[in-house]
Structure formats: C-alpha cells, structure tokens
C-alpha cells in the first residue's frame, strides 16, 4: 500500500509540475507577445517621430528656397495699388511638383530672366541618416488665401485640379468656392493700415517610413508668410548691427529693430518699448568696437519686454547683396535707393527715389542746375524753374570736422519750396523732391574765410525748414544732408524751452516728412559757416528740434581700425558744442539705417574738435503708425507660421 501510495503521489506531483510549467509557459508566451506588441508600438512611435523630423527638414528646405526666390524678384510700384511682383504657385517648381502654366519670364533681378523657375530639389537622403528608406509622396508650395482653404472630400469638391489644391470663396461667407489656379497670386490679408499686409503660402510634405509591421506616414504642413510693413513703424530700424553705448542717459519710447546683432553695454540706455534683433543680443560691446572695453552694465528695458529675436525685414523684401557681382551697377546695395540710375537695366527703377520724385534737381561740378520732372521732361525756364532755382544757393563751404575736410554745400531754402507748393506753382507735386550735387569725388576749389581750399566732398543743406508744405515733404539726396535749425516745427517750439513733449508751435501741426540721404547731419540754429574752421568753443549750439523721419547711412564699427560706429545714439551726426550752454536736441520721428555711407565716410569720434555731445530727447512720432511721409519705402519679412500634421 505504501508503495502504491508513493506512485500515486509521484504521479500527482508530476501533474502539478506539468501544470505549473504550462502555466509558466503560457505566462511567458503572453509576456513575449506583450513585449513584441509594446516593441512594435514603441518602434512605430519612434518611426512616427522620425517621419515628422524628416518632413520638418524638407519644410525647412522648402522655406529657404521659397524665401531666396522671393528675395531676388523684381518689384513694380504703383502708388494707386499694391503690385509688388507677387508670385503664384507656378513659380515654385519642386522635384515632384511642376504647376502649369510656367511663368515666362521669371522676374528675377539676378540672374537674367529665365524661361522657367529653378527646380527646388529634394534634400539629400544623407541629411537623414537614421532612416535611409523613407519616401516622399508630396513636396510642394502653393499660394493660398488667408483662411488656407483647400478642396477635398472633407471640405468642398475641387472645381478643378486635385485634392488639397487651393480654393477661395467667391465672396465672403458665400460658402461657394473657386479654384486659386497656380498662376494666381495669393489674396492679401491686411493689417491695421494699408501698408501692413501679408500673403500666404502652404508648404506640404508627406513622408512615409517603413516599420516592423507596415508603414507610417506623416503629413506635415506649414504656412509661409510674406509680410509687408513700413520702416516708419519703428522708432529706430537698422539693417546692419545696432549698438547703444551712450555716454549720457538716453531713452527711446518706440519699437526698435535691427536685422543684425544688437549690442548694448550701458545702463545709460533705456528702451521703453519692444526691442528686436535678427542676429544675437549681447549685453556688452561689438568685437569690432575699438572704443569701449571693460565690464558692461545692464541696460533698462520695459517691463516684460526684454530684447527678443525677430525675423529680418528687408527693404522691399530684397537681398541686394546677392547681386553685387552680377555686372550691373544698379543693384549693388540699398544705397541704390537714393542714387541716380546708372546705365543698363534698372531693376529698382520703380522704387528708386530719383524716379519717384516730382522734380529732380541736379547740380554739376560747375554749379549748373538741371531740373527734370519724374517723366524725364526738362524744366529749363518758366515759373517752376524760377521757383526751384530761387530756393537754391550753390557753392557754399563749411569745414566738417568729422569728415576731416571741407564740404561744398548746396543750400535748399525749404520755405521757398513750401510757398511754391502751397500756391500751386509746382504742378504735379507728390511730396518728393530729389536734389544732388553730382560732382562728389571731384576736387574743386572753394573759398572760406578768404582762404582757398580744395575738396572732393559734397552735401545738401536744408535751411528755413520750420514750415513744410501742406501735404508734407520728403527730400532725398545721394549726398550727405545737413539740417540746419528747427525743422517741421512751425517756428521756435516749446521743446526748445524745455517742454520736450511739445515739439511744434501752437497752431502748427507737424507734417509727414522725411529726410533721406547718404548721412544725416544736424546743425543748430546758431551754426555759422565761418566758425566751422574754428574750435568747438566757437561752434556753440542752441536748442534745436527736428520732426521728420530720417533715413541715412553709418560708418560701422571697425571701419578704420579701432573705430566705433557711434551707435544708435549718434545716428544723426553733430559738429557743434552742445554742452557749453546745456543745449538739447529734441527729435520726433523714425530713424532708419539702410546702408553704409559712401560719401560721408568720416569715422565717429567722441573727443577732439568734432563736437561735444548734446542732451538728447528722442521720441517716436506715433503719427507714422498711421500716416507715412511722401514716397514709397517698404520692408518685408519672410516668416513661418502655423504648423500641423496628420499621422497614418
């Protein structure tokens, strides 16, 4: 019995062991199955992320090419509309998308017009080494309306074309749509005024990546935006690096922007509004600045508005530096906007200030005056000729200690131009006057204080400019411009007596005004040409107020060894002693730097016999937020906005 019992117990134990093993195997199988399932899910998640990363890389490549194509397009200008050589979908050929009809010719500034757009290739697969076996099934850019309306089963049937093609409502709120064909430019979306508007494009990339079980596809989309604005939107707008190292307290109460780097190294500077930069922000000094060294102090920024990186805004959306070596003399830099056109094709013809001006006044080496209208008609006699020549006094001479030499000046009596405009003598007036001494660079003999001197330097001086024409005035020159005395103030304003927030006299409303030149110089009402050859103790300034947008150039830091640009605090140039009588320069407007000076090339110096620093009160004139000065000067940025995706 005991033996039999032992056998039964052994058999029962074997059954138990088998049962346990089976259970363990079942659990192990479940664990393996679960692990495989989790592994597949994890791998699919990784592949999804990889597909999205690859798609984002392709979108960045599309954006760079879209922006570069736009940066080299010609622009047409019509004062009655907004024709800016906008591009339709068919300008953006890709390796897998060739919308027709092809535009002919492609309006590029450089190279010469081509019969078809350049192909935007797919990025090399070596850029994405983690997944070499991906495939791209959609890769395109198309113009869309501001609502990014597309056709397809989920939205509205496609009138023509294929799913996901752009459509637009036939009228707002109608619910009916028509195709936005590849040749059509995108409709505009307007901002708070007529010069702030945007055009939108949709970039689409579909990327498929293989997984352990099938494929995963990421459909990723981004909206590209071309945004137009005016530089007058800013209290200070710089294309190049912007530096603020004022020796005295300086505050600026409007928006500030630089396309380059921003260097601020002192607590003397205060920004009361937003401050943006396209490159980098440094609480310190430019490596090219040879005038400042040592520890920097922290500047002051508006609460909640530290400096922030922003997209660069290019004049008219162009990058003219791309064309410096193409053989043309008409598109080498933004300085072209203030120059007379040279021989050959002029891609800037419709926005060049010389061509925008109602009247062009040129003075040659012999002080002979030539006047033409914007259509090229010569004005050689009559009331218009007499009015303009009567406002001009040529062959004046000063010593400019920043330039380190003498300058031959042409005086423009602004009060006489104002009278001629307001009484209707200057017919066809649009508010823009171009004036230049065309002999810059040629040595001429001048006399100052009875002494004969020779100089290649030229300049235009604005005098008696307290009152401007009813509809405003923009004066443009390829030479440096000197503003002498109060400008656009109506007389001697309260700001000259210490009330800095009241820049015009009672009864006078300051006009939309701009002064645009190679460099902008300020001479107080006390300036004397004869005293310009003497020390600063004989060049003592008086309180002076200027109300105008100013566009000019700079001499950048490092241009002459250990030089400093002078910074934003010295965008306007001084030649007098403003310290002796505690004189103040009060400014209302918008300061814009578009280029490096080509004629006013003297470097800034904060010591010596050049000038003694003014007490400065800079204010942004908010009128420029709604009313631009005469003439057309726009800026444009290229932005990436919304991004979304679907995964299958």
């Amino acid at each position: 019995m005991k033996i039999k019992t032992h056998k039964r117990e052994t058999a029962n134990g074997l059954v138990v062991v088998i049962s346990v093993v089976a259970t363990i195997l079942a659990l192990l199988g479940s664990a393996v199955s679960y692990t495989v399932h989790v592994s597949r899910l994890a791998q699919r998640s990784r592949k999804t992320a990889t597909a999205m990363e690859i798609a984002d890389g392709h979108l960045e490549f599309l954006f760079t090419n879209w922006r570069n194509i736009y940066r080299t397009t010609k622009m047409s200008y019509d004062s009655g509309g907004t024709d800016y050589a906008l591009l339709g979908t068919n300008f953006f050929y890709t390796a897998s998308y060739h919308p027709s009809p092809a535009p002919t010719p492609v309006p590029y500034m450089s190279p010469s017009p081509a019969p078809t757009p350049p192909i935007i290739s797919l990025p090399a697969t070596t850029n994405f080494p983690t997944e070499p076996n991906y495939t791209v099934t959609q890769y395109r850019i198309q113009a869309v309306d501001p609502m990014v309306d597309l056709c397809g089963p989920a939205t509205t049937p496609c009138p023509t074309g294929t799913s996901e093609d752009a459509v637009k409502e036939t009228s707002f709120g109608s619910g009916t749509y028509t195709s936005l064909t590849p040749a059509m430019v995108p409709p505009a979306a307007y901002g708070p005024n007529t010069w702030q508007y945007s055009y939108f494009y949709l970039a689409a990339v579909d990327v498929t990546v293989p997984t352990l079980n099938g494929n995963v596809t990421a459909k990723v989309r981004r909206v590209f935006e071309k945004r137009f604005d005016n530089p007058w939107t800013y209290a200070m707008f710089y294309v190049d690096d912007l530096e603020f190292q004022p020796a005295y307290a300086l505050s600026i109460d409007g928006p500030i922007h630089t396309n380059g780097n921003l260097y601020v190294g002192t607590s003397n500077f205060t920004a009361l509004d937003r401050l943006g930069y396209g490159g980098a922000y440094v609480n310190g000094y430019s490596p090219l600045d040879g005038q400042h060294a040592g520890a920097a102090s922290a500047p002051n920024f508006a609460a909640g508005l530290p400096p922030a990186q922003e997209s660069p805004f290019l004049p008219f959306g162009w990058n003219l530096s791309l064309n410096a070596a193409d053989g043309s003399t008409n598109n080498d830099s933004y300085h072209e906007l203030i120059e007379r056109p040279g021989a050959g094709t002029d891609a800037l013809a419709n926005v060049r200030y010389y061509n925008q001006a109602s009247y062009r006044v040129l003075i040659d080496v012999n002080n002979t005056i030539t006047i033409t209208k914007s259509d090229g008609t010569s004005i050689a006699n009559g009331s218009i000729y007499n009015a303009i020549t009567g406002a001009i006094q040529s062959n004046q001479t000063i010593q400019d200690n920043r330039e380190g030499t003498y300058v031959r000046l042409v005086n423009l009596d602004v009060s006489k131009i104002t009278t001629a405009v307001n009484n209707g003598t200057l017919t066809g007036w649009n508010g823009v006057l171009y004036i230049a001494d065309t002999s810059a660079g040629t040595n001429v003999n001048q006399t100052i204080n009875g002494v004969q001197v020779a100089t290649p330097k030229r300049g235009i001086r604005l005098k008696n400019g307290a009152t401007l024409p009813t509809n405003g005035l923009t004066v443009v020159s390829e030479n440096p411009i000197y503003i002498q005395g109060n400008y656009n103030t109506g007389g001697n304003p309260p700001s000259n007596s210490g009330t800095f927030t009241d820049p015009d006299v009672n009864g006078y409303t300051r006009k939309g005004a701009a002064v645009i030149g190679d460099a902008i110089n300020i001479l107080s009402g006390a300036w004397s040409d004869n005293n310009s050859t003497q020390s600063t103790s004989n060049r003592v300034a008086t309180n002076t107020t200027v109300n105008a947008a100013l566009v000019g150039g700079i001499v950048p830091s490092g241009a002459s060894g250990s030089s400093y640009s002078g910074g934003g605090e010295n965008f306007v140039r001084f030649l007098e002693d403003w310290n002796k009588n505690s004189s103040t320069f009060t400014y209302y407007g918008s300061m814009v730097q578009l280029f490096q000076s080509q004629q006013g090339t003297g470097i800034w110096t904060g010591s010596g016999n050049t000038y003694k620093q003014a007490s400065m009160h800079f204010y942004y004139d908010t009128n420029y937020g709604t009313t631009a000065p005469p003439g057309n000067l726009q800026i444009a940025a290229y932005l990436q906005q919304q991004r979304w995706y679907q995964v299958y």
Side-chain angles (χ1 to χ4, degrees):
M1 292 296 292
K2 290 181 179 180
I3 294 175
K4 290 180 179 179
T5 299
H6 175 73
K7 288 182 178 180
R8 283 199 299 271
E9 289 176 351
T10 300
N12 288 339
L14 182 61
V15 170
V16 171
V17 170
I18 292 173
S19 176
V20 170
V21 170
T23 300
I24 291 173
L25 290 174
L27 291 173
L28 182 60
S30 297
V32 170
S33 177
Y34 177 75
T35 300
V36 171
H37 180 67
V38 169
S39 177
R40 286 176 175 173
L41 289 177
Q43 199 247 9
R44 184 177 179 84
S45 296
R46 291 194 299 271
K47 293 296 185 178
T48 297
T50 298
M52 292 172 62
E53 290 171 0
I54 294 171
D56 280 332
H58 283 65
L59 288 170
E60 289 291 338
F61 195 73
L62 282 176
F63 176 74
T64 298
N65 282 273
W66 171 82
R67 179 179 58 190
N68 286 344
I69 289 171
Y70 247 131
R71 281 178 171 177
T72 57
T73 54
K74 289 183 181 179
M75 174 180 290
S76 58
Y77 168 66
D78 185 332
S79 60
T82 54
D83 178 9
Y84 293 99
L86 294 167
L87 305 181
T89 299
N90 57 346
F91 281 87
F92 304 105
Y93 281 13
T94 73
S96 57
Y97 181 57
H98 303 82
S100 61
T104 306
V106 178
Y108 296 149
M109 294 174 62
S110 174
S112 300
T116 57
I119 301 295
I120 303 174
S121 62
L122 287 165
T125 56
T126 53
N127 292 332
F128 312 100
T130 57
E131 182 48 68
N133 297 317
Y134 70 87
T135 57
V136 178
T137 53
Q138 183 171 203
Y139 184 64
R140 70 171 175 172
I141 302 169
Q142 62 176 322
V144 293
D145 71 0
M147 299 302 293
V148 195
D149 289 311
L150 305 176
C151 66
T155 53
T156 182
C158 294
T160 60
T162 60
S163 182
E164 295 190 47
D165 281 351
V167 294
K168 63 176 182 177
E169 275 192 303
T170 53
S171 61
F172 181 75
S174 66
T176 59
Y177 293 82
T178 184
S179 293
L180 191 63
T181 63
M184 295 175 65
V185 301
Y190 283 87
N193 51 52
T194 57
W195 65 71
Q196 290 178 310
Y197 47 92
S198 294
Y199 299 92
F200 298 98
Y201 296 78
L202 178 65
V205 177
D206 296 350
V207 173
T208 299
V209 172
T211 69
L212 291 172
N213 184 19
N215 299 319
V216 62
T217 299
K219 298 187 173 185
V220 187
R221 307 290 182 262
R222 284 190 199 172
V223 173
F224 298 164
E225 176 187 2
K226 183 172 186 177
R227 179 186 298 174
F228 282 100
D229 203 342
N230 275 348
W232 327 122
T233 301
Y234 296 91
M236 189 169 285
F237 177 91
Y238 264 53
V239 165
D240 294 314
D241 288 353
L242 175 57
E243 301 161 87
F244 285 110
Q245 314 296 348
Y248 301 94
L250 173 66
S251 63
I252 299 180
D253 67 348
I256 300 171
H257 172 89
T258 172
N259 286 346
N261 300 314
L262 174 66
Y263 300 95
V264 189
T266 173
S267 58
N268 287 332
F269 177 73
T270 299
L272 300 174
D273 205 319
R274 71 182 191 273
L275 203 165
Y277 55 90
Y281 165 62
V282 176
N283 177 205
Y285 316 117
S286 166
L288 300 176
D289 177 3
Q291 296 291 317
H292 298 92
S297 55
N300 306 292
F301 303 117
L305 286 176
Q309 192 166 43
E310 299 175 339
S311 178
F313 276 87
L314 302 177
F316 298 107
W318 298 334
N319 187 349
L320 293 187
S321 63
L322 295 175
N323 303 286
D326 66 354
S328 171
T329 60
N330 286 319
N331 59 2
D332 296 340
S333 75
Y334 298 124
H335 198 276
E336 290 286 348
L337 294 171
I338 65 170
E339 295 177 14
R340 293 163 291 131
T345 302
D346 183 13
L348 283 72
N350 292 319
V351 294
R352 189 183 293 273
Y353 270 108
Y354 177 85
N355 294 334
Q356 290 189 50
S358 300
Y359 296 95
R360 292 93 63 102
V361 183
L362 304 180
I363 298 92
D364 69 10
V365 68
N366 298 313
N367 293 301
T368 301
I369 300 173
T370 301
I371 303 173
T372 56
K373 299 179 71 172
S374 58
D375 61 3
T377 302
S378 176
I379 307 294
N381 52 54
S383 59
I384 294 176
Y385 180 84
N386 292 336
I388 294 176
T389 56
I392 292 174
Q393 184 183 25
S394 58
N395 215 38
Q396 305 300 296
T397 309
I398 67 169
Q399 179 171 294
D400 184 321
N401 285 323
R402 171 160 174 167
E403 294 302 313
T405 189
Y406 303 94
V407 179
R408 185 177 91 168
L409 294 181
V410 174
N411 287 349
L412 178 68
D413 189 328
V414 176
S415 67
K416 293 182 178 181
I417 296 296
T418 296
T419 298
V421 170
N422 289 345
N423 67 20
T425 299
L426 298 185
T427 58
W429 178 254
N430 67 2
V432 181
L433 177 68
Y434 187 92
I435 179 169
D437 187 328
T438 62
S439 64
T442 301
N443 256 325
V444 293
N445 292 323
Q446 298 292 114
T447 301
I448 183 169
N449 290 335
V451 178
Q452 191 176 74
V453 297
T455 180
K457 296 284 187 178
R458 305 292 186 270
I460 303 297
R461 175 164 50 185
L462 308 183
K463 300 184 72 173
N464 302 322
T467 301
L468 301 187
T470 303
N471 294 323
L473 174 65
T474 292
V475 178
V476 187
S477 181
E478 63 189 22
N479 309 126
I481 295 181
Y482 297 75
I483 303 173
Q484 182 168 327
N486 297 320
Y487 196 83
N488 195 20
T489 59
N492 191 36
S495 55
N496 285 355
S497 300
T499 309
F500 305 113
T501 55
D502 189 358
D504 33 38
V505 303
N506 187 35
Y508 179 81
T509 301
R510 59 188 180 274
K511 309 301 190 292
V515 177
I516 303 174
D518 178 77
I520 305 298
N521 300 268
I522 300 297
L523 305 175
S524 80
W527 174 265
S528 165
D529 289 357
N530 288 337
N531 288 348
S532 67
T533 61
Q534 301 179 37
S535 68
T536 52
S537 62
N538 297 105
R539 291 182 274 123
V540 180
T542 55
N543 294 332
T544 302
T545 297
V546 170
N547 300 324
L550 303 177
V551 180
I554 63 169
V555 180
S557 291
S560 179
S562 59
S563 62
Y564 172 54
S565 69
E569 67 271 21
N570 288 291
F571 173 73
V572 293
R573 306 179 185 186
F574 301 103
L575 294 172
E576 297 168 271
D577 182 349
W578 294 77
N579 285 169
K580 185 173 182 179
N581 294 331
S582 300
S583 297
T584 299
F585 173 62
T586 303
Y587 174 73
Y588 269 73
S590 170
M591 296 182 180
V592 178
Q593 181 267 330
L594 298 183
F595 42 76
Q596 296 179 16
S597 298
Q598 296 186 12
Q599 295 187 27
T601 54
I603 64 171
W604 175 87
T605 174
S607 60
N609 195 37
T610 302
Y611 80 108
K612 293 191 184 332
Q613 181 67 55
S615 172
M616 295 180 293
H617 289 264
F618 285 3
Y619 298 95
Y620 173 56
D621 189 341
T622 56
N623 290 325
Y624 289 122
T626 56
T627 305
N632 177 55
L633 177 60
Q634 284 209 309
I635 54 178
Y638 301 95
L639 309 171
Q640 298 190 68
Q641 300 292 16
Q642 301 95 332
R643 172 191 181 274
W644 66 94
Y645 64 91
Q646 293 176 319
V647 178
Y648 298 92

